[in-house]
Amino acid sequence: MDERWRLFVDLDEPPSAAEQMDRDECLLEEVLDGAPPALRIYRWRAPALTLGRFQPDDHVDHDACDALGVEVARRPTGGRALLHGADLTYAVALTRPSDVRDSVEALYAHLARALIDGLARLGVRAEVASHDGDPGPVCFASALGSDLRVGSRKVCGSAQVHRGPAVLQHGSVLLDRLDIDEADLMLFEDEMARTTARGRLNDATVTLSELGAPTDAERVAAALIDAFGDVLGADFGPVGARLRPRRERLTST
Amino acid sequence: MEYPEELKYTKEHEWVRVDGDRAVMGITDYAQDALGDIVYVDLPEVGTEVTAEQSFCEVESTKSVSEIYAPVSGEVAEVNETLQDAPQKINDAPYGDGWLCTIRMTDAAEVDRLLDASAYQQLL
């Protein structure tokens, strides 16, 4: 049976990276307070490096971030550093469905069904990644069961935070690549370590552009929205209103 | 999975072992399995006042951050510092080396409202 969901599509005039994280966390708090589930899809106003909730700040080369115009923000979710800017980011806030087994992995698998379906609508055959070892400081340099891969390369990384029965999962679909990557923005022991990290990152990831899939943000967003509707029964309301940017200010100040 | 008879449990999957006015606590075998590999624990500071059923620390596992709730009210008397370097102890021995902290209870009667092993297992 379909369930009423809230939809926020923020593709134009994105706010600061910190505000993006505030908005996502706000959705989580609202769900915890009894609001319907929410899907938010957004882009970034500038390259932004987000860090996992507990990731040490001293991994970050703040001078390099400043010099390259990269905002730095901390996610409410777990995981490691992720560079945004050529991706489309999604946030899902919901109460754990009663028919989903009570584990982190099961919830990732539940939401992955919609993400995989959305990517399939773009001609991309993705599947859930298996654990491939120590994640290190950079999110996309390794794959976990929370991530989606095409072949052996990661195309979508996700992370969660749980508060009581409410969960926020957000993640990033790689549309294309920027001129810089996480290896330019993190601190390493020496240049060889940086080069190794960059190579590992490039080898471990693939973008929609490289897969020959559409990279237009509105089209990718529409595919994900349709998939959440069809696979998870999310009822976002009248079709014509779906992609209109919502100016509704969330409660965070 | 194991649920020792001598422990008390919460609906949020914490366990408690009472020792005088102190309650040693951690998360259950079920919880550690559901969370997956635990990579970080954000422990409370000794002296922190905690309230039963309120969140007071967090654990990170498999790119997921989850809250831990205080099973009883009181003051954090001791924390398991070894988890900073070895958080996987929670997965390996949730009722042993993976204990999280000790709470000096302000209302020992709260323990009576917790679940015994049998009642807890019926929740799962």
Side-chain angles (χ1 to χ4, degrees):
Chain A
M1 186 194 299
D2 286 355
E3 179 184 18
R4 184 71 183 170
W5 280 53
R6 296 172 295 150
L7 176 64
F8 303 88
V9 182
D10 293 332
L11 301 183
D12 304 317
E13 302 176 34
S16 68
E19 173 70 14
Q20 299 274 34
M21 296 300 95
D22 279 351
R23 289 187 181 190
D24 289 349
E25 191 162 9
C26 202
L27 294 177
L28 172 67
E29 296 294 337
E30 288 171 348
V31 167
L32 196 55
D33 288 342
L39 171 65
R40 189 168 91 87
I41 299 179
Y42 53 100
R43 289 193 295 196
W44 300 77
R45 68 177 184 182
L49 188 73
T50 62
L51 306 179
R53 171 68 167 270
F54 297 120
Q55 184 171 13
D57 186 63
D58 57 11
H59 285 171
V60 179
D61 185 342
H62 286 281
D63 291 340
C65 290
D66 289 345
L68 293 166
V70 175
E71 296 182 78
V72 179
R74 189 170 290 282
R75 297 192 303 269
T77 50
R80 295 294 174 157
L82 174 57
L83 178 62
H84 303 274
D87 63 328
L88 189 68
T89 304
Y90 74 87
V92 182
L94 76 171
T95 301
R96 173 185 286 279
S98 58
D99 59 345
V100 174
R101 198 165 52 83
D102 197 12
S103 77
V104 169
E105 186 181 357
L107 190 58
Y108 273 126
H110 175 72
L111 295 175
R113 292 189 300 130
L115 297 167
I116 287 171
D117 186 85
L119 291 171
R121 291 165 195 256
L122 302 166
V124 173
R125 293 172 63 104
E127 56 189 349
V128 175
S130 55
H131 194 304
D132 71 352
D134 182 354
V138 178
C139 175
F140 267 95
S142 66
L144 294 165
S146 52
D147 305 318
L148 302 182
R149 61 180 171 83
V150 176
S152 61
R153 305 172 86 182
K154 189 163 153 182
V155 70
C156 177
S158 299
Q160 294 177 355
V161 57
H162 296 235
R163 288 194 189 150
V167 181
L168 169 69
Q169 175 173 316
H170 59 194
S172 175
V173 178
L174 295 176
L175 303 179
D176 211 336
R177 294 186 194 273
L178 297 170
D179 294 334
I180 55 174
D181 60 32
E182 287 89 337
D184 294 306
L185 308 170
M186 308 293 286
L187 294 170
F188 294 90
E189 282 185 14
D190 52 39
E191 282 308 304
M192 181 172 288
R194 186 187 305 279
T195 302
T196 300
R198 177 172 291 118
R200 189 178 173 201
L201 186 63
N202 287 332
D203 290 345
T205 56
V206 66
T207 69
L208 295 193
S209 173
E210 290 160 355
L211 292 167
T215 58
D216 175 72
E218 288 213 357
R219 187 164 169 192
V220 177
L224 293 177
I225 292 163
D226 287 344
F228 271 75
D230 290 347
V231 176
L232 299 182
D235 173 8
F236 295 114
V239 171
R242 283 181 180 175
L243 288 181
R244 213 166 45 214
R246 296 276 296 269
R247 288 287 159 254
E248 178 180 338
R249 181 70 178 91
L250 301 174
T251 55
S252 176
T253 56
Chain B
M1 292 191 191
E2 292 181 34
Y3 304 100
E5 292 289 333
E6 68 273 22
L7 304 182
K8 292 283 196 173
Y9 300 87
T10 72
K11 288 184 285 188
E12 300 293 346
H13 311 294
E14 291 88 18
W15 59 262
V16 165
R17 179 184 294 115
V18 176
D19 180 11
D21 67 342
R22 295 191 178 204
V24 184
M25 63 86 54
I27 66 170
T28 66
D29 204 5
Y30 178 85
Q32 68 79 21
D33 184 66
L35 290 171
D37 293 342
I38 293 171
V39 297
Y40 183 80
V41 186
D42 185 38
L43 290 166
E45 290 185 15
V46 170
T48 302
E49 300 282 345
V50 301
T51 304
E53 301 181 7
Q54 298 293 308
S55 168
F56 79 116
C57 73
E58 294 176 299
V59 297
E60 178 170 358
S61 65
T62 330
K63 295 174 67 176
S64 179
V65 174
S66 301
E67 292 180 326
I68 305 296
Y69 298 85
V72 291
S73 303
E75 179 184 307
V76 175
E78 190 180 4
V79 298
N80 185 356
E81 297 287 359
T82 69
L83 297 177
Q84 299 292 11
D85 292 329
Q88 70 276 12
K89 285 181 177 179
I90 298 173
N91 295 113
D92 295 341
Y95 307 113
D97 289 347
W99 66 280
L100 290 175
C101 67
T102 297
I103 297 169
R104 187 178 297 111
M105 296 183 286
T106 49
D107 180 6
E110 286 179 341
V111 175
D112 297 333
R113 294 196 283 270
L114 299 177
L115 305 171
D116 62 21
S118 174
Y120 176 66
Q121 288 180 79
Q122 286 176 21
L123 281 181
L124 307 180

